[in-house]
Amino acid sequence: MATKWTHEQIKAIETRGANILVSAAAGAGKTAVLVERILRKITDQKNPTDINRLLTVTFTNAAASEMKERVKNRLYEMLEKDPENEGLQRQFALMEKANIMTIHSFCNKVIHENFHFLN
C-alpha cells in the first residue's frame, strides 16, 4: 500500500535546490518524509545525489539510527527488485558514510575533521 502524503509532506519530499526544515509533532511522519526525500534524491534518474553528500540532522541518536536503518532497508528492497542497478549498488555501498545524525554528532564530526584549523 502506498503512503498517502499530505500537501505539506509532498512539498518537503519534492523541494529541490534548497535546504529544508521538517518540524512536526511526534507521530506526524517526519521520519517517513525524510526517508522518502533521501531516497528520491539518491535515486533521481536525471540528477542523483550520493547519500554521503546529504546532511540529515535529528535531535536524538535513536531517531538518527532509525532513519538510517529505514533508508538502508528501503535501498535493500529496491536492490532485490533490481540487483543490476549500479546506482542503487553505489548508494547502498555509501550508506556507512551517510550523514544522518544528531546536531551534536555533526558538530563533533566537523571538529574532528578540521581540528588542524583550530588554534
Side-chain angles (χ1 to χ4, degrees), residues 32-117:
V33 165
L34 290 171
V35 167
E36 188 67 24
R37 178 176 171 80
I38 291 167
L39 286 165
R40 289 190 188 187
K41 287 184 76 73
I42 67 175
T43 62
D44 186 283
Q45 294 294 317
K46 294 179 182 174
N47 190 24
T49 302
D50 283 339
I51 194 158
N52 64 319
R53 308 246 330 139
L54 300 174
L55 173 61
T56 306
V57 179
T58 67
F59 286 105
T60 67
N61 288 321
S65 294
E66 179 183 349
M67 191 176 309
K68 202 169 195 178
E69 193 65 26
R70 284 192 197 184
V71 171
K72 189 175 184 178
N73 288 342
R74 290 272 305 276
L75 272 174
Y76 185 79
E77 290 170 4
M78 294 166 84
L79 265 171
E80 281 186 319
K81 294 177 184 173
D82 189 5
E84 302 302 316
N85 186 315
E86 291 179 9
L88 292 175
Q89 292 171 6
R90 176 177 173 76
Q91 298 309 320
F92 195 79
L94 289 171
M95 273 304 302
E96 293 306 313
K97 295 181 181 180
N99 295 303
I100 301 172
M101 58 189 64
T102 64
I103 188 70
H104 295 94
S105 296
F106 174 68
C107 292
N108 204 13
K109 180 181 176 180
V110 170
I111 291 168
H112 278 93
E113 291 177 356
N114 297 283
F115 69 92
H116 51 281
F117 292 115

